[in-house]
Amino acid sequence: MSSGSTCSVHGCRNNSQKLKEFAETFCLVHAKLRHQCPCPARYFMHTMPRKEEREAAWLAALNLKRRPKRVYVCSFHFVDKRPTVLHPDPELFLGNDLPPPPKRRIVVRGVREKKSRPADSCMNVHQDGENGRKVNGCSVDFAMTISDAAGILSSEDPPAPQRCSAHTQWEDPSQLDHDYTKSVGVKDVHDQTTQCDEIGYFMLQNDSDALLYTGVSLETFNILVSTLEGHASNPFTLSVRDQVLLTLMKLRTNRGMADLSKQFHISESMARKIIPYWIDKLDEVLRPLIPWLPKETIEENLPEEFIEDFPDLTCILDCNEILLQKPRNLDSLNTMKYQVAYAPCGLIMFISAAYGGQCSDTFITKNSGILNYLMPGDEVMAVRGFPIEDVLLKHDVDLAKPFYTKKCGQPTETWLMCTRQMASVRVHAERAIRRLKVYRILSQVVPRTVAAKIDKVLRICAALVNLREDRIRDSL
């Protein structure tokens, strides 16, 4: 029987305190706390009506012998999620079929009774004679020599006979001569498995499956697995292909560890060890795939939309934010920022480390290392227009950014022309930016198990984006 603000249904643990804690969590859809967003609560608590007829029906449905002081029932137990005219009483998941809680076993400590010996045997013991002693009716002569005593002590005791109960006997001695009765070890079974038994071969049948789970094509994934097989030195029983697929699925879909471990038929603790291990290896192998292209290569691969208005464009800068889960308070989140430089063709040429959410875009530009790649005379485009013009002017780098009338007053012809030119190529720039956010580990909340390696995760996702062929086409 439950009372207070807890649901009175047997086995249900919903209460108003959980609703308050849920209201203080962060809503990812509306980017605000749940008590401020329009999302409905998980459930509602309904009190028992005061009418005698309805009160008796509620008590009968809840199987309560004694009426508690206050009766609350959550909305999960009503057909219409609340008491209505057609269904005024709780009817769903009432817990009547649940077994009663196990009772505590009472341990009775009894007194151990001592076995009494026969009277005649007690009388035969400790009967001393003049030259000997009788033990259990047998005469024992203690006038033994030292040599006889030494011989008795040095003789080995015969081995005790091996006794085995019929209920605990694991092997039949009569069948040990046959080979087919021998048990096969776990290692033998693992050695006999073929590659077709791996989960990756069943999940990745074509390019659409590979793009869904890994973000790259099937051929690219197979080449990546063959490259990483030389770096596999871990003791995990899972194959290298499945380990790499598990890691890429975490970055691509950001599914929970329990969900991934269940799909790969491993324990959750093993999944938590496999993913950080391969994040280190993937960062080591894929880091050269983020190159800073020479000026000649950028000009040769410049799309047609950029040739007319931005012929000297070197890169497109963008700053993004990611949410990190705190290690102690799981309900609150930390904010991190990182900077990305895209080539006009869509290739990621630079990605910075993660900085705190309070760091400004100017501070990140100065300390990320992007200024070491920019040469005098280069042109940089900032689609979202963060204030880094003063920093770039010191290095003789031009900045093309959008125009905002609210901050700069009445626009001039030059500003309007520049804004129209940027609007014509903004679609291509946004497409390049969106390709990195396809990896949901960067667009959703980063779990605390991966938050410690967020810099490596950023580089891995950027390198996987560069492995795709269809970056930015010449025309829409």
Side-chain angles (χ1 to χ4, degrees):
M1 182 175 62
S2 302
S3 62
S5 60
T6 306
C7 183
S8 301
V9 177
H10 176 60
C12 185
R13 298 293 183 268
N14 294 335
N15 51 36
S16 59
Q17 182 63 29
K18 292 182 179 180
L19 288 176
K20 293 180 181 179
E21 294 176 357
F22 179 74
E24 297 298 329
T25 58
F26 187 80
C27 179
L28 298 178
V29 178
H30 301 91
K32 59 178 66 176
L33 296 179
R34 295 192 183 272
H35 66 82
Q36 299 175 353
C37 70
C39 294
R42 291 182 176 177
Y43 54 86
F44 297 95
M45 305 298 295
H46 303 283
T47 57
M48 186 174 64
R50 296 183 179 180
K51 294 182 179 181
E52 296 182 359
E53 181 181 358
R54 295 271 63 83
E55 181 180 348
W58 276 47
L59 294 178
L62 299 177
N63 197 16
L64 297 178
K65 297 181 180 179
R66 296 180 182 179
R67 184 189 183 282
K69 184 177 180 181
R70 295 178 181 176
V71 178
Y72 294 90
V73 178
C74 65
S75 56
F76 286 121
H77 308 289
F78 293 94
V79 177
D80 300 326
K81 303 301 180 183
R82 58 185 179 85
T84 57
V85 178
L86 296 178
H87 302 280
D89 306 325
E91 302 177 17
L92 303 177
F93 316 114
L94 299 180
N96 297 328
D97 55 343
L98 296 178
K103 297 182 179 180
R104 184 178 179 182
R105 185 171 61 88
I106 302 176
V107 181
V108 180
R109 296 182 180 179
V111 182
R112 200 173 186 180
E113 297 181 357
K114 297 181 179 180
K115 296 181 179 180
S116 60
R117 297 180 180 178
D120 54 351
S121 63
C122 295
M123 295 180 65
N124 292 333
V125 181
H126 305 299
Q127 291 182 358
D128 298 338
E130 293 182 0
N131 296 327
R133 178 179 299 175
K134 292 182 179 180
V135 179
N136 292 334
C138 298
S139 177
V140 180
D141 188 10
F142 286 94
M144 295 186 298
T145 59
I146 300 176
S147 60
D148 295 336
I152 294 174
L153 294 176
S154 62
S155 63
E156 296 181 356
D157 295 335
Q162 296 182 356
R163 297 181 177 88
C164 182
S165 176
H167 299 285
T168 60
Q169 187 172 358
W170 293 93
E171 296 179 353
D172 188 2
S174 62
Q175 298 181 359
L176 294 179
D177 296 335
H178 303 279
D179 295 336
Y180 60 83
T181 61
K182 295 181 181 180
S183 59
V184 182
V186 178
K187 185 178 182 300
D188 299 335
V189 176
H190 180 70
D191 294 340
Q192 295 173 2
T193 57
T194 60
Q195 290 183 344
C196 296
D197 296 333
E198 297 179 0
I199 301 175
Y201 284 96
F202 295 97
M203 294 183 60
L204 305 181
Q205 298 291 334
N206 46 40
D207 286 341
S208 61
D209 295 339
L211 291 173
L212 176 63
Y213 293 117
T214 64
V216 295
S217 62
L218 182 58
E219 182 181 1
T220 305
F221 175 75
N222 293 332
I223 296 174
L224 180 61
V225 171
S226 62
T227 306
L228 292 172
E229 285 181 351
H231 298 265
S233 60
N234 51 35
F236 305 122
T237 57
L238 205 63
S239 63
V240 177
R241 183 185 180 89
D242 289 347
Q243 293 181 41
V244 177
L245 177 60
L246 173 66
T247 307
L248 295 184
M249 284 181 63
K250 179 61 180 177
L251 302 181
R252 175 65 178 84
T253 62
N254 197 21
R255 292 164 57 182
M257 290 291 185
D259 188 12
L260 291 173
S261 61
K262 186 177 180 179
Q263 185 169 2
F264 283 84
H265 307 290
I266 57 176
S267 62
E268 188 175 351
S269 60
M270 182 178 291
R272 295 180 183 275
K273 296 177 182 178
I274 291 175
I275 292 177
Y277 173 83
W278 282 107
I279 286 178
D280 297 337
K281 297 300 180 181
L282 286 169
D283 176 60
E284 180 182 350
V285 173
L286 299 179
R287 184 177 293 189
L289 296 179
I290 312 176
W292 186 269
L293 300 179
K295 187 68 174 178
E296 296 78 9
T297 307
I298 296 175
E299 293 177 354
E300 291 177 0
N301 297 274
L302 196 67
E304 294 181 359
E305 285 75 8
F306 293 88
I307 294 177
E308 183 179 357
D309 299 325
F310 302 97
D312 298 329
L313 185 63
T314 304
C315 63
I316 303 170
L317 284 182
D318 183 56
C319 277
N320 294 320
E321 289 186 354
I322 49 178
L323 299 176
L324 269 67
Q325 192 179 46
K326 286 186 177 181
R328 295 182 180 179
N329 188 4
L330 301 182
D331 294 333
S332 59
L333 303 173
N334 285 331
T335 305
M336 305 292 288
K337 297 174 70 175
Y338 62 95
Q339 191 177 59
V340 191
Y342 302 88
C345 61
L347 185 78
I348 298 179
M349 299 193 301
F350 174 82
I351 187 166
S352 68
Y355 292 86
Q358 297 180 352
C359 295
S360 63
D361 300 332
T362 305
F363 176 82
I364 297 176
T365 305
K366 290 180 179 179
N367 296 272
S368 62
I370 185 67
L371 299 177
N372 298 330
Y373 297 97
L374 296 175
M375 304 299 293
D378 291 345
E379 185 178 6
V380 175
M381 177 184 293
V383 178
R384 296 183 183 153
F386 41 89
I388 58 172
E389 188 173 4
D390 298 337
V391 180
L392 296 179
L393 287 177
K394 294 180 180 179
H395 294 76
D396 295 333
V397 178
D398 298 331
L399 176 65
K401 62 179 182 179
F403 173 73
Y404 299 98
T405 57
K406 292 183 178 180
K407 296 182 179 179
C408 302
Q410 188 68 23
T412 61
E413 270 186 44
T414 307
W415 290 344
L416 288 175
M417 185 180 299
C418 181
T419 304
R420 291 194 188 101
Q421 292 173 356
M422 290 196 62
S424 62
V425 299
R426 185 184 181 92
V427 178
H428 299 279
E430 290 291 347
R431 184 182 297 174
I433 295 170
R434 187 174 63 249
R435 296 176 66 85
L436 185 60
K437 294 186 178 180
V438 166
Y439 292 90
R440 297 184 180 177
I441 194 73
L442 303 180
S443 59
Q444 297 178 354
V445 179
V446 181
R448 57 188 180 89
T449 55
V450 191
K453 300 180 181 294
I454 187 60
D455 294 341
K456 296 182 179 180
V457 169
L458 289 172
R459 289 192 291 267
I460 292 172
C461 294
L464 293 175
V465 170
N466 290 340
L467 285 176
R468 296 190 60 175
E469 297 178 358
D470 51 339
R471 284 185 287 272
I472 289 185
R473 302 174 183 176
D474 292 337
S475 61
L476 295 174

